[in-house]
């Protein structure tokens, strides 16, 4: 038995459970007499009275013929599998069967279990729902299961396989209960799926399970103390980005590191993420208020803003908007609800400290937002440091850190050129800069046949609306609710501009890439408002 034959899964017929007496489920049982329906009433299954098979019109065939789908291997498996997922089941090209199968291969339930375990790692790592479905379909197809339908929601993955119209379908599901950010593990899963979907690489089911177990057992590439230091440097770089000096940099670093340690302490006690974000937001705000009370001539607002940059859930926001734009509305709603809860936790933590500072007599000025100085070289350097530390916090592979750092510097350069030099609104400038991030990130991921998340998520760090969020919270703490809501609305608009810009940049990159032999990338058809 060859390796290709070994990879063919066993059907129920191969295992001896096929019943030759089984007929179609639409067949009329024996002993039941069916009288023809009156012509006046008609039937849903009877042809109309005006139909004549002999005199009917000829079948329509397009002038160019019926397109034949030929998925070549010189494009990433994400595009090939996404193209097939958007086809009806009857139009999907089935994998070529082996020449002769003397014995059956792995059982169908085991293939489905491997598929669910791979999908679980991708979904828990923050991958979009459409890419998770594409990966699950790629795994099933690599073992000969072409008639399968994966389904992904925020916490539940399921897949169904039906061998034929007269055989019972096999369905399996798996629940995602724990989420973690480790882009090194995410990249390893993508390499496994890439090897499985390569027709020239024959990987048995046992080998796939072994590699998956190694991926799950691997330690994170960066220890805890490195993550804490990266969190502090991220906040310090963000404070310089919004106009801070050396004292502000040091204060932001210390506040963010203390907040990170407190968040780790709460996580070790089993507290939900809402309280972890609440506690992590308080030290940076307290540090800025302390500098104000000590009458130190620095921009205390930059300290608090830097601490917010290290906490804003930009990764979940981008994934939520991407799922909504690709039609996964349930998953998108769940992700955006998660973002809202985390953001409310940050708001509560900062508001508590700002309220205490106002009661103690700290003179915090919301109008300081208009005084952010323009220092192009310092700001570009700070944006690159921010992207670098963000990549470390996301546990990215060391080979991707340089690319995402440069991508973050390009993003801020585009934003600065449009907003500061060109006088364009910050929302439009942010959207264009995020689109550049998505475009470059998608092209880099195509070049390396990997996920686009490691190349885009950290690069959007300099664009996050930290200052707008802080000044909105400060205005609310000083009983200026209207001004505070206006600033928070601006922060929400900036966040949506980032998410939509990243997704648009990714889609634009696909317009210039050849996907198989299809003339265009087939998308799901939607109604037009009716």
């Amino acid at each position: 038995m060859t390796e290709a034959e070994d990879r063919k899964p066993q059907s129920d017929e191969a295992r001896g459970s096929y019943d030759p007496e089984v007929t179609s489920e639409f067949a009329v049982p024996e002993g039941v007499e069916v009288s023809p329906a009156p012509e006046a009433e008609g039937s849903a299954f009877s042809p109309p009275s005006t139909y004549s098979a002999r005199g009917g019109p000829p079948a329509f065939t397009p002038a160019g013929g019926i397109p034949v789908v030929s998925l070549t291997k010189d494009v990433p498996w994400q595009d090939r599998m996404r193209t097939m997922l958007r086809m009806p089941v009857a139009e999907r090209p089935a994998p070529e069967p082996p020449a002769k199968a003397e014995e059956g291969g792995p059982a169908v339930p085991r293939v489905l279990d491997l598929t669910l375990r791979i999908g679980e790692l991708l979904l828990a790592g923050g991958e979009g729902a459409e890419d998770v479905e594409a990966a699950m379909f790629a795994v099933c197809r690599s073992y000969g299961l072409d008639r399968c339908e994966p389904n992904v929601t925020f916490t539940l993955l399921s897949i169904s396989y039906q061998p034929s119209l007269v055989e019972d379908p096999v369905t399996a599901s798996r629940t995602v209960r724990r989420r973690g950010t480790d882009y090194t593990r995410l990249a390893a899963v993508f390499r496994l799926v890439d090897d499985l979907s390569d027709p020239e690489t024959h990987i048995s089911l046992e080998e796939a399970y072994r590699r998956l177990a190694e991926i799950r057992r691997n330690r994170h590439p960066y220890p805890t103390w490195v993550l804490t230091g990266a969190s502090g440097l991220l906040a310090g770089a963000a404070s310089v980005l919004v106009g801070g000096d050396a004292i502000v940099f040091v204060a932001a670093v210390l506040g963010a590191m203390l907040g990170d340690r407190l968040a780790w302490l709460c996580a070790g006690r089993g507290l939900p993420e809402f309280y972890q974000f609440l506690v992590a937001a308080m030290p940076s705000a307290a540090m800025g208020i302390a500098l104000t009370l000590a009458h130190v001539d620095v921009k205390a607002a930059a300290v608090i803003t830097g601490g917010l940059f290290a906490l804003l859930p930009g990764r979940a926001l981008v994934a939520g908007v991407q799922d909504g734009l690709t039609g996964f509305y349930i998953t998108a709603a769940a992700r955006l609800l998660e973002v809202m809860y985390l953001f409310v936790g940050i708001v509560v933590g900062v508001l508590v400290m700002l309220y205490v500072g106002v009661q103690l007599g700290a003179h915090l000025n919301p109008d300081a937002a208009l005084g952010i100085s323009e220092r192009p070289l310092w700001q570009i350097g700070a944006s690159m440091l921010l992207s670098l530390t963000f990549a470390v916090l996301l546990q990215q592979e060391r080979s991707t850190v340089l690319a995402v750092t440069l991508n973050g510097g390009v993003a801020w350069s585009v934003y600065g050129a449009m907003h500061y030099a060109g006088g364009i609104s910050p929302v439009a400038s942010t959207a264009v800069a995020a689109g550049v991030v998505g475009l470059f990130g998608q092209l880099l991921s195509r070049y390396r046949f990997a996920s686009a998340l490691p190349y885009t998520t950290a690069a959007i760090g300099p664009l996050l609306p930290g200052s707008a969020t802080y000044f909105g919270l400060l205005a609310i703490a000083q009983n200026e609710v209207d001004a505070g809501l206006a600033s928070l609305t601006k922060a929400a608009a900036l966040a949506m501009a980032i998410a939509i810009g990243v997704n648009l940049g990714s889609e634009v990159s696909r317009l210039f890439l050849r996907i198989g032999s299809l003339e265009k990338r087939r998308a799901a058809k939607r109604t037009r408002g009716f």
Side-chain angles (χ1 to χ4, degrees):
M1 184 173 60
T2 62
E3 294 182 355
E5 297 169 355
D6 182 67
R7 299 174 68 211
K8 181 182 179 181
Q10 281 185 327
S11 63
D12 292 338
E13 181 179 1
R15 293 196 297 269
S17 61
Y18 176 71
D19 186 3
E21 300 297 329
V22 175
T23 60
S24 172
E25 57 192 56
F26 300 105
V28 179
E30 295 183 3
V32 178
E33 296 182 0
V34 180
S35 58
E39 294 185 2
E41 297 181 1
S43 172
F45 298 98
S46 61
S49 58
T50 58
Y51 175 80
S52 174
R54 180 173 299 178
F60 172 75
T61 302
I66 300 176
V68 178
V69 180
S70 177
L71 300 175
T72 58
K73 60 167 294 185
D74 59 343
V75 295
W77 60 265
Q78 301 98 305
D79 286 334
R80 289 184 280 130
M81 295 304 110
R82 187 183 291 109
T83 301
M84 294 191 62
L85 275 175
R86 293 182 175 183
M87 298 181 189
V89 178
E91 297 181 12
R92 294 176 184 170
E96 295 183 3
K100 183 178 180 180
E102 300 178 357
E103 298 181 7
V108 170
R110 293 196 64 200
V111 176
L112 299 185
D113 177 72
L114 174 68
T115 302
L116 291 174
R117 291 178 183 273
I118 290 177
E120 178 190 12
L121 286 180
L122 293 176
L123 186 62
E127 192 63 69
E130 186 178 32
D131 290 330
V132 175
E133 282 196 358
M136 294 172 64
F137 186 77
V139 175
C140 285
R141 185 176 171 80
S142 64
Y143 289 102
L145 306 184
D146 59 304
R147 300 179 60 89
C148 64
E149 289 292 341
N151 186 24
V152 175
T153 59
F154 185 60
T155 58
L156 181 66
L157 300 97
S158 63
I159 188 166
S160 178
Y161 168 69
Q162 189 171 13
S164 65
L165 292 177
V166 297
E167 293 183 80
D168 295 332
V170 181
T171 303
S173 62
R174 195 173 183 87
T175 302
V176 179
R177 303 187 184 276
R178 183 180 179 183
R179 301 177 183 274
T181 304
D182 189 343
Y183 281 1
T184 299
R185 178 179 296 175
L186 189 70
V189 176
F190 261 73
R191 285 193 293 268
L192 174 59
V193 178
D194 186 31
D195 292 340
L196 287 173
S197 59
D198 188 355
E200 297 181 0
T201 304
H202 302 289
I203 299 179
S204 64
L205 194 65
E206 287 72 18
E207 176 66 15
Y209 266 111
R210 184 191 64 79
R211 290 181 56 177
L212 187 63
E214 290 180 353
I215 293 173
R216 299 179 70 96
R217 286 196 303 263
N218 280 350
R219 294 180 177 271
H220 299 306
Y222 306 104
T224 304
W225 65 270
V226 174
L227 299 180
T228 301
S231 178
L233 289 177
L234 191 155
S239 65
V240 174
L241 198 64
V242 295
D245 53 12
I247 299 178
V248 170
F249 178 86
V250 174
V253 169
L254 294 178
M257 292 177 65
L258 180 58
D260 182 77
R261 287 291 85 199
L262 291 176
W264 277 99
L265 181 62
C266 294
R269 297 295 185 270
L271 291 178
E273 282 188 312
F274 175 86
Y275 300 104
Q276 297 177 27
F277 275 76
L278 188 152
V279 173
M282 298 176 73
S284 296
M287 193 71 67
I289 293 171
L291 291 176
T292 302
L293 293 175
H295 302 288
V296 180
D297 188 16
V298 295
K299 290 185 177 180
V303 178
I304 305 176
T305 301
L308 291 177
F309 267 85
L311 297 175
L312 293 176
R315 173 182 58 88
L317 175 67
V318 172
V321 174
Q322 178 183 359
D323 288 340
L325 294 175
T326 52
F328 294 84
Y329 300 114
I330 297 178
T331 307
R335 288 187 190 271
L336 294 178
L337 185 62
E338 179 190 34
V339 171
M340 187 193 72
Y341 272 106
L342 298 180
F343 186 76
V344 170
I346 298 171
V347 167
V348 173
V350 175
L351 275 180
V352 168
M353 300 309 301
L354 290 179
Y355 180 78
V356 172
V358 170
Q359 297 301 315
L360 294 177
H363 298 287
L364 300 171
N365 184 15
D367 296 333
L370 302 176
I372 297 178
S373 59
E374 300 178 20
R375 300 174 298 176
L377 296 180
W378 280 98
Q379 289 177 328
I380 292 176
S383 66
M384 296 178 66
L385 178 60
L386 194 153
S387 299
L388 171 64
T389 52
F390 204 172
V392 173
L393 289 175
L394 293 174
Q395 302 281 0
Q396 291 190 197
E397 291 181 306
R398 291 178 174 84
S399 59
T400 64
V401 171
L402 178 60
V404 74
T405 301
L406 295 176
N407 201 7
V410 171
W412 181 260
S413 299
V414 173
Y415 172 81
M418 294 184 63
H419 178 54
Y420 295 121
I424 303 176
S425 68
V427 176
S429 303
T430 300
V432 174
V436 173
V437 169
L439 177 62
F440 287 171
Q442 196 67 232
L443 294 177
L444 288 172
S445 67
R446 303 285 175 185
Y447 176 73
R448 302 193 62 177
F449 281 65
S451 172
L453 287 180
Y455 299 98
T456 58
T457 305
I460 65 173
L463 305 176
L464 292 176
S467 58
T469 303
Y470 162 68
F471 289 109
L473 299 179
L474 177 59
I476 293 176
Q478 295 179 343
N479 293 326
E480 298 178 5
V481 180
D482 293 340
L485 292 179
S487 185
L488 290 179
T489 302
K490 177 184 176 182
L494 291 173
M496 293 298 294
I498 292 172
I500 295 176
V502 170
N503 181 265
L504 181 61
S506 301
E507 295 298 327
V508 168
S509 68
R510 293 193 180 103
L511 295 177
F512 303 99
L513 297 175
R514 183 170 61 89
I515 304 175
S517 62
L518 296 178
E519 296 181 0
K520 59 182 179 179
R521 177 172 178 257
R522 299 178 62 175
K525 292 183 179 179
R526 305 290 183 211
T527 59
R528 299 181 181 179
F530 52 85

